[in-house]
Amino acid sequence: MKLKSGWVRRAFYSWILVCTLGGLYGFWRMSIHACEQRKESLISMCDERARMLQDQFNVSMNHIQAMSILIKTFHHNMNPSAIDQSTFARYTERTSFERPLTSGVAYAVRVLHSQREQFEKQQGWTIKKMDTLQQSLVQEEYAPVIFAQDTIAHVISLDVLSGKANRENVLRARESGKGVLTAPFRLLKTNRLGVILTFAVYKRNLPSNATLDQRIQATDGYLGGVFDVESLVEKLLQQLASEKAVVVNVYDTTNSTHPIVMYGSNISGDSFSHVSTLNFGDPLRKHEMHCRFKQKLPWPWLAFNTSVGGFIICVLLGYIFYATCNRVVKAEEDRDKMTELKKRAEAADIAKSQFLATVSHEIRTPMNGVLGMLHMLMDTDLDVTQQEYVRTAQGSGKALVSLINEVLDQAKIEAGKLELEASLFDLRAVLDDILSLFSEKSQGKGIELAAYVSDEIPELLIGDAGRFRQIITNLMGNSIKFTEKGHIYVTVHLVEDVVHSIQIDKELGMENVNTLSLSGFPVADSRRSWEGFKAFSQVGPIGSFSSSVTDVINLIVSVEDTGEGIPLEAQSRIFTPFMQVGPSVSRRHGGTGIGLSISKCLVGLMNGQIGFVSIPKIGSTFTFTALFTNSTDCKIQQLNNNNSHSNPPSSEFQGMTALIIDPRSVRAKVCGYHIQRLGIRIELVSDLAQGLSTITEGNQIINMVLIEQEEWDRDSAMSSRFVDGASRVGVPPKLFILVNSNGWTSGIGNPTVIIKPLRASMLAASLQRAMGVTCRNGELPSLSVGHLLGGKKILIVDDNVVNRTVAAGALKKYGADVVCVSSGKEAISKLKPPHEFDACFMDIQMPEMDGFEATKKIREMERCAKREGFVDNLSKWDVPILAMTADVIQATHEECVRCGMDGYVSKPFEAEQLYREVSRFFHS
């Protein structure tokens, strides 16, 4: 189910509402629970205090009752009495700890009126009333206190029957035979509330069912214990740790409508209270303990914090869910947007490809006619001026085509559709071709142009020779632009060989030693240009990636120049597309600024890296690595068929020896590299004197001497001696002078001039002409190509009459019989079996029926002919069809293969290109 933003937002708000209600409910529940716990705590505390007070009261009551038995035994049953006031006081004082709630104990004896006078004389004091402390009035009987604890000794002689409340209490104790409590009253001495517990003392043990008269007659006196309730309760509360937290009130509730406060007050901040019943043993007196907390119920922070914390956690969980859903919604929306953008991009890419194909076709089609006609014009009789005009026009046309190719390559790179081919090629021949391309410019500037390939690199490699050529061409093109003196030097080595040499230099401590350059000018250290390359940073011991154990050939190529160098501020953007060092450079040298960007991409496709080092006013060195595949099983003849113009004959020079005289070791090594490619042995010396000594005193025959112009011009006298000395040898060697530009002449001898840059094919031709060396058939190489396609009938299909003329003229140059038609329908008619055509060049974009559709119909006709039984002639009818179009994008090439075409020729084309493509299908 696809989430929607509005639904997620509503769900989040609903969740917040639920969390709020849940938080409030939790707060309410926890508050109620806290209140219940508070009540339970108060009940427990109140009941505990009531129980302790009641237990201690019972202990005191039991002890007072035991004292009544003691008085009966030792006072009334003994004559004389064993107890007096002093004895009673001492005894009660020492046993007061057994009566923790009593503040004093007293004993009042029963005295009849008839016994009063004698009693008073015996005691030495008169009986007094309790309330007035005056002599008691006449009454039937008295109960004066005769023994008292020291704490209440002031009550001695007081008649406990003189007060109404006391009288009722004493009489009730005598009648019940149990302990009886008085109502609370103010104690005389302390003025604090207290009660008296009274027990009757009998002369003998009475049965439980004794009558009232029997109890009255048997009564001897009354033992009472005074309880200071306020002091007693305070002492009790002090024993508890939490007495300050609870307010305790003790009431006498015998009269429920007017309860008497025995202890405490009503001051409290809490409205909730608990009542615990107190039982002090007197069934007629009722007592209660009321408990309340001193402080009001505090704010339930635990409930509040818990509910707020729960609410926050709940909201956070909801927000996490909300954020997650939002991310999902956003991701889905982004996906939809990306899908839509992808569709637009694909549509734009298709439109861009179609636009590029259209623009390329529309530009290349007329350019094909222009360049083709100019090429055909060069084959006519022209004077020198006219030839110069034609060459200038050809150069401008080729520059325009090169610009178009660079823009198309950049478009392919941006679209990620640039792919490499894998074909067999000769690396050294490729470099010779590149040197030929720039030879005219280098000669015009008088700069040294040279290339060197290590002997460790195989003759044949498998890779994309065209893209490899493009990289080096871009780098050398920049060097040619910015170099006005000195040299441009291309070197190709195996990576492992370079690493080996670096390690040896480190072992010898020579890693910072600068070697001599090709022209003697200072150069940027090439080793800095490959700093950070993976091929060097990841290498271990020497030979850890040796080519001897793998078919992968890892090359490192350097292009060194002594030009202007790159300004430091521009070096960081050197590989950025369409970026130039500065506007003045663009005005002076031209260019689009995408050559290095394309080169970097191509190097990356070859699993390599590219870097550079540049020093202003000194020069630049660009270095890149590239991976190729070794191909030792392929036949060199295949390479000769495809690149016959690049491979020089070398067997004619086998066994010859050449002496190279050059003061610069680097330049001598380059010359020796090209000479050795022809199968010639070499000897290297640094000056003419050593060369003359080698020729005249050596044990071997020197067939040729190649001398650098710099050494030849340095000392004319030495040059003359060299010519004289060399001419006296039995077989004088042929002299060659190596120069950088046209126009050099020598006034000494008659040496042959060879204009650099050196290439094997050019060098072979120069040596053959100078030394009269013949080829294997005994003749000099022939330049005639008119018989190469002799007897072959080729069909040209193109709606443009100029293109038909150019293609027909190019193929006729090679001896082919050419037939031209202007549409796909005519091509179908011409190639309907049986026919006599050996090949067909077909344009793709044509009105009515394009080349793709025409090819499909032709292939369908061939399949039908096979089904109808024309098997004997099928090989002739299965004609090779080669696309001939100005569209150079990959999609067009792929479509050519799908529709059944056998090859591809891009416009503008040259005669040699047409021949090379069509000759692949002819075996004779």
Side-chain angles (χ1 to χ4, degrees), residues 3 9 185 278 295 325 391 410 470 480 521 846 858:
L3 295 177
R9 191 180 299 108
F185 65 93
L278 297 173
Q295 302 297 331
C325 291
R391 278 194 292 268
Q410 185 64 31
Q470 183 177 356
I480 285 287
F521 283 81
M846 294 183 294
I858 292 170

Side-chain angles (χ1 to χ4, degrees), residues 442-471:
S442 66
Q443 292 167 5
K445 289 187 173 184
I447 60 178
E448 188 98 14
L449 184 62
Y452 174 81
V453 180
S454 170
D455 295 337
E456 300 298 325
I457 298 176
E459 286 289 330
L460 301 177
L461 298 176
I462 293 178
D464 195 328
R467 295 302 182 182
F468 182 74
R469 182 199 312 267
Q470 183 177 356
I471 297 172

Side-chain angles (χ1 to χ4, degrees), residues 72-105:
K72 178 178 120 174
T73 303
F74 291 97
H75 178 66
H76 291 289
N77 293 342
M78 294 183 69
N79 192 13
S81 172
I83 301 176
D84 57 10
Q85 170 58 29
S86 175
T87 303
F88 186 84
R90 285 197 308 271
Y91 175 79
T92 54
E93 183 66 30
R94 291 179 180 179
T95 59
S96 61
F97 68 90
E98 296 180 350
R99 304 179 303 279
L101 299 184
T102 60
S103 58
V105 181

Side-chain angles (χ1 to χ4, degrees), residues 188-295:
L188 294 177
K189 189 175 182 179
T190 62
N191 199 33
R192 296 168 70 93
L193 285 177
V195 295
I196 298 176
L197 175 64
T198 305
F199 283 95
V201 179
Y202 298 103
K203 297 177 181 179
R204 58 184 180 277
N205 292 330
L206 295 176
S208 60
N209 57 352
T211 63
L212 177 61
D213 290 337
Q214 291 175 339
R215 291 184 180 278
I216 294 173
Q217 292 300 325
T219 302
D220 279 335
Y222 311 96
L223 182 65
V226 180
F227 293 84
D228 186 346
V229 178
E230 293 185 18
S231 297
L232 298 177
V233 174
E234 286 178 357
K235 290 180 181 179
L236 174 65
L237 296 180
Q238 287 176 1
Q239 298 176 11
L240 302 175
S242 60
E243 80 282 354
K244 296 182 179 180
V246 178
V247 176
V248 176
N249 292 333
V250 180
Y251 293 91
D252 185 326
T253 59
T254 303
N255 184 356
S256 60
T257 58
H258 296 87
I260 301 173
V261 179
M262 299 175 65
Y263 174 80
S265 65
N266 290 323
I267 299 175
S268 174
D270 197 356
S271 60
F272 175 73
S273 65
H274 177 70
V275 178
S276 295
T277 302
L278 297 173
N279 183 9
F280 292 146
D282 187 351
L284 295 181
R285 307 298 302 186
K286 296 181 180 179
H287 300 86
E288 294 178 352
M289 179 181 284
H290 292 206
C291 301
R292 290 192 300 271
F293 286 106
K294 287 185 178 180
Q295 302 297 331

Side-chain angles (χ1 to χ4, degrees), residues 428-665:
R428 293 165 178 82
V430 169
L431 286 179
D432 283 352
D433 291 343
I434 297 174
L435 292 177
S436 299
L437 180 65
F438 294 105
S439 61
E440 184 176 352
K441 291 184 179 179
S442 66
Q443 292 167 5
K445 289 187 173 184
I447 60 178
E448 188 98 14
L449 184 62
Y452 174 81
V453 180
S454 170
D455 295 337
E456 300 298 325
I457 298 176
E459 286 289 330
L460 301 177
L461 298 176
I462 293 178
D464 195 328
R467 295 302 182 182
F468 182 74
R469 182 199 312 267
Q470 183 177 356
I471 297 172
I472 300 179
T473 301
N474 285 339
L475 298 179
M476 289 189 65
N478 289 336
S479 295
I480 285 287
K481 286 181 185 178
F482 300 105
T483 303
E484 300 298 331
K485 60 182 178 178
H487 68 267
I488 299 172
Y489 183 31
V490 183
T491 60
V492 185
H493 293 86
L494 293 177
V495 170
E496 54 262 39
D497 291 344
V498 176
V499 173
H500 190 185
S501 64
I502 292 174
Q503 293 177 343
I504 292 176
D505 289 344
K506 288 183 178 180
E507 292 173 359
L508 298 177
M510 301 173 60
E511 60 269 23
N512 295 321
V513 177
N514 291 325
T515 59
L516 297 175
S517 67
L518 182 73
S519 61
F521 283 81
V523 294
D525 188 356
S526 62
R527 288 172 294 189
R528 291 176 51 197
S529 65
W530 62 63
E531 289 179 352
F533 279 14
K534 293 179 181 179
F536 295 91
S537 61
Q538 296 179 355
V539 67
I542 298 174
S544 60
F545 50 82
S546 174
S547 298
S548 61
V549 295
T550 178
D551 287 336
V552 176
I553 303 298
N554 196 0
L555 299 184
I556 179 168
V557 183
S558 293
V559 179
E560 174 187 281
D561 68 57
T562 56
E564 299 176 5
I566 303 171
L568 297 178
E569 65 274 9
Q571 292 185 9
S572 60
R573 61 177 187 271
I574 199 68
F575 292 110
T576 304
F578 302 104
M579 293 295 293
Q580 298 247 4
V581 172
S584 61
V585 173
S586 178
R587 288 193 300 269
R588 245 168 60 208
H589 301 287
T592 59
I594 59 177
L596 288 177
S597 171
I598 294 172
S599 298
K600 184 176 182 180
C601 176
L602 295 177
V603 169
L605 291 176
M606 294 179 182
N607 298 312
Q609 291 179 279
I610 188 170
F612 72 96
V613 58
S614 182
I615 302 175
K617 308 302 181 182
I618 296 296
S620 304
T621 299
F622 280 80
T623 302
F624 68 92
T625 60
L627 291 182
F628 295 96
T629 303
N630 193 0
S631 181
T632 57
D633 297 333
C634 297
K635 296 181 180 179
I636 298 179
Q637 183 62 38
Q638 178 182 353
L639 187 68
N640 291 337
N641 291 339
N642 294 334
N643 301 286
S644 58
H645 63 288
S646 300
N647 283 334
S650 60
S651 60
E652 296 82 4
F653 303 102
Q654 293 293 336
M656 292 186 179
T657 301
L659 176 64
I660 300 175
I661 303 176
D662 194 330
R664 303 192 183 280
S665 58

